[in-house]
Amino acid sequence: MYFPISWLVVATAVTLFLASSQALNIIVNNDDGFAAANIREFYRLLKAAGHNAWIVAPVVDNSGQGGRAVFTSSPVLTQPSQFGIIPAGAPSFGTDPIDSHIWYYNGTPAACTFFALDYVVPNFWNGTKVDLLVAGPNFGNNLGPFLYTLSGTQGATYAAVERDIPAIAFSAANSGLRSYKEINQTTPSGSPDPATIAAQLSVDLVNQLAKNTKGRERILPFGYGIDVNYPFITSLINQTCVSPPFIQTRMTGDGATVDYAAFNASTQLFTYRNITPRGVNTCINGDCSLPGETRIVNGGCQSSVTVFTIDYDAPTCRGSKHVRPLLRPLVKYARRPHRRTRSASRGEEEFLLD
C-alpha cells in the first residue's frame, strides 16, 4: 500500500514522541458501536502510539442517546451484536473474540462509561487509574450546544467528566457507519481512509495533551472536557482535505443550529429541520471572541476544538443580573459566607440570605 511521505513522518514522530513522554491509560467509547471503523482505528493507533487503550462501547449503534444511562434488563443479548460479531444468546457484556481489551456492553454510551469505570477498570486493570476517556470519532459531526445534549458521543464524554475523568469527544463529518473490516487500505488520493485520518488526528491531539501535562496528576482540571469536530475528509476522492488544522472554538455562535418540527402536508408527518435562532447563538459565558465551531467546520478544511465545562449554570453576566431581581421577593438570594460558621464546621453548610 502507498501513503504519502507526510503520513510516514507522522507515524515515526508519534513513536519517538511517546518514547520520551507520558503514555496514558485510556477508555475508548462511542455511540456508533464497538465494531465501527472509526473507533477501531482510533484504538489501533492509540496503542501503536504507546498508550494503554481499552475499548468499552455499545454492542450496537446507540446514536442520539445523549447522556441517558440505560442499562440492559437482560443478562443475554436478544439479538446479534453489531456486524454479527457476537451472537444472540451471548452474555450482555463481554469481550471481542480476538481482543480481550475490546469490551462491549448492551447499553447506551453513558451506561458504557459507567460500566467501564465501575466494572471493567476495577476488575481487569489491576489497580491502574484512568487518565482519560475518549469517545468517537463519531460518524457525523456534533456541532453546537443542541447536539451537545443530543449526541451519545457527547453523553459518554460528559458522563466521564462528571465522574472526575478527563474526557474528549471526537466527531467527523464523514457519515455512513461501517465496520472496521471495511477500512480501505488504498484510496484514489493515495492518502489513508477517512477513518484512519480522523483517528490519527485524534491521537495527535491526545499526544499533545500528554506532552504538555507530563508529570501532572491530571491532564484536564475537574469539570472540564473537550469537544472536537473534523470537516469532511476527502481522501476517498482527492487530497483537497486530508490534513485539517485544529482551531480553538466555542459551541455557541456563528450558525449553531437547533431543530424545529417541519410538517409535511402530503404525508401528514413531522420531521426535523435546522434553524439558527438567537437562543443557541448568544454568547453568555466564556470567551466570546472565539469563533463558533459550526462556522469553522462547515466553512472549510478546519477542525474545531472546544473546551467545555459541565458547570453551565448560575452565570454572573449582565443577563443574569437582569433575571435574578425578577424572582424577588418569592425567591431568596443565597450566598456562601466568606468565613465558615460554627454549624458549617460541623458539616452543616449555612448560607446568607438576602
Side-chain angles (χ1 to χ4, degrees), residues 69-148:
V70 180
F71 299 89
T72 183
S73 59
S74 173
V76 298
L77 298 179
T78 58
Q79 61 183 14
S81 77
Q82 185 174 48
F83 309 120
I85 294 173
I86 311 296
S92 62
F93 63 91
T95 61
D96 187 278
I98 62 173
D99 191 335
S100 63
H101 286 194
I102 298 177
W103 283 75
Y104 69 86
Y105 176 69
N106 189 18
T108 58
C112 288
T113 292
F114 302 141
F115 168 71
L117 297 179
D118 301 322
Y119 182 80
V120 176
V121 170
N123 287 291
F124 299 95
W125 278 37
N126 298 317
T128 302
K129 71 179 184 69
V130 180
D131 295 311
L132 178 68
L133 180 141
V134 293
N138 188 66
F139 282 93
N141 283 139
N142 288 303
L143 296 165
F146 177 65
L147 287 175
Y148 171 81

Side-chain angles (χ1 to χ4, degrees), residues 20 27 80 87 111 120 146 153 180 216 222 242 263 266 280 343:
S20 61
I27 296 170
V120 176
F146 177 65
T153 302
Y180 73 95
R216 299 183 190 176
F222 284 105
V242 295
F263 181 64
S266 299
V280 78
S343 61

Side-chain angles (χ1 to χ4, degrees), residues 8-21 45-46 48-51 200 203-204 207:
L8 298 177
V9 171
V10 167
T12 303
V14 165
T15 302
L16 294 175
F17 164 76
L18 260 296
S20 61
S21 66
L45 293 176
L46 282 169
H51 297 291
Q200 185 61 63
V203 171
D204 291 346
N207 287 345

Side-chain angles (χ1 to χ4, degrees), residues 294-310:
T294 304
R295 177 171 69 87
I296 289 298
V297 174
N298 291 341
C301 186
Q302 299 180 115
S303 305
S304 65
V305 180
T306 297
V307 177
F308 69 86
T309 73
I310 57 170

